[in-house]
Amino acid sequence: MKVELLVSALNQDPKELAEKMHITSDAVIINQCDKDGQEEFLRQGRRIRCFSFAERGVGRSRNHALEKAEGDICLFADEDICYCEGYEQSVLEAFSAYPQADMLLFNVQAAPGRETYHTESPGRVHWYNCGRYPTYSFGLRRKVLEKSGVRFSLLFGGGAKYSNGEDSLFIRDILKKGYKIYRVPVDIGREMERPSTWFQGYNDKFFFDRGVLYAFLYGPLAGLMAWRFLLAHRSVLCQEKSVREAHVLMKRGIEEGRKEKRA
């Protein structure tokens, strides 16, 4: 099997980016910039294809990458991920160890202050625990992408109307199609520090947008899951707002999300 890295980038020089990220597998780079175009080059004997688009939005970027993908295993990436030596072999070994898995979620060490997950032991991922994994942890079989038709939402994520959540919705949609997803304690890279493209603190927009996302993720259980989220993480989330104030904002977002779903 062949691993192919699917990279979402913004205004980058593709060759410099490949060096910075330590890419040693085949790769597709989607570079959103001020022009359209494409180029291809080799790095350490591996084929890297770059496609430039004069547009914005991480969902669009990732969907372009899916359309261009040719590898057996697709590994998603952002431009600020630096990969471990031998990451391709680690990914292949993990899929060999889990032949029943359609998708695996790997460990990528987040930058300080942005830690949202770290898998210590393997396990199955279900609808109720799929909301914490970033896209750059995703590895999945390309045949699943072809059969399922699942794509990234254009409503959520960098450059979209609502700030984040396209990753959770993607996992949810894969699960709804009946495919199996596992988390594995396999480290493949680390996130390089840079300013977030969407996170500006636990402010009104954060809680409102999270409410919109929960309407899409959990349907009639959105309000209950909002309470669960806030109570489980209140020591971090609710330093400036009370849990009740944050929940009011999330409830407004849930109402907005339900309107979006009906539109």
Side-chain angles (χ1 to χ4, degrees), residues 26-127:
D26 286 3
V28 171
I29 297 175
I30 303 298
N31 190 31
Q32 294 185 328
C33 53
D34 59 358
K35 63 181 180 180
D36 295 330
Q38 65 182 77
E39 62 177 297
E40 183 175 320
F41 58 92
L42 296 177
R43 182 177 189 273
Q44 297 187 14
R46 309 312 291 269
R47 183 182 179 216
I48 299 179
R49 295 175 292 139
C50 177
F51 301 88
S52 298
F53 294 96
E55 63 180 16
R56 294 295 184 272
V58 71
R60 288 188 173 87
S61 176
R62 298 201 196 282
N63 288 339
H64 281 311
L66 289 175
E67 296 301 326
K68 304 296 185 183
E70 296 178 355
D72 301 297
I73 303 297
C74 294
L75 194 65
F76 290 90
D78 290 337
E79 63 184 46
D80 58 348
I81 305 301
C82 179
Y83 284 88
C84 301
E85 183 177 351
Y87 69 88
E88 181 179 30
Q89 188 61 31
S90 295
V91 169
L92 291 174
E93 289 175 358
F95 272 94
S96 294
Y98 290 85
Q100 76 278 25
D102 301 296
M103 179 175 179
L104 293 178
L105 305 177
F106 295 93
N107 279 335
V108 174
Q109 180 61 50
R114 288 169 54 87
E115 301 92 340
T116 57
Y117 83 106
H118 189 270
T119 296
E120 300 289 347
S121 58
R124 185 86 176 265
V125 175
H126 301 279
W127 68 269

Side-chain angles (χ1 to χ4, degrees), residues 107-214:
N107 279 335
V108 174
Q109 180 61 50
R114 288 169 54 87
E115 301 92 340
T116 57
Y117 83 106
H118 189 270
T119 296
E120 300 289 347
S121 58
R124 185 86 176 265
V125 175
H126 301 279
W127 68 269
Y128 53 82
N129 65 350
C130 72
R132 60 195 298 251
Y133 300 98
T135 311
Y136 54 69
S137 70
F138 296 3
L140 68 163
R141 302 181 192 274
R142 185 165 60 90
K143 65 181 182 182
V144 171
L145 294 169
E146 294 175 346
K147 292 179 180 178
S148 70
V150 172
R151 294 295 181 266
F152 285 91
S153 169
L154 302 184
L155 266 180
F156 297 86
K161 185 175 181 179
Y162 303 110
S163 52
N164 77 315
E166 78 287 353
D167 38 20
S168 300
L169 289 169
F170 186 89
I171 294 177
R172 189 277 314 268
D173 289 346
I174 291 289
L175 289 170
K176 285 176 68 175
K177 294 285 185 175
Y179 294 104
K180 296 184 177 72
I181 303 176
Y182 293 81
R183 62 182 185 271
V184 292
V186 177
D187 297 329
I188 59 171
R190 61 178 177 83
E191 184 184 31
M192 295 177 279
E193 290 190 63
R194 65 165 182 169
S196 173
T197 58
W198 69 270
F199 181 69
Q200 304 300 322
Y202 298 110
N203 54 23
D204 287 12
K205 181 170 175 57
F206 173 88
F207 292 112
F208 181 86
D209 286 5
R210 183 58 58 119
V212 177
L213 173 64
Y214 274 32

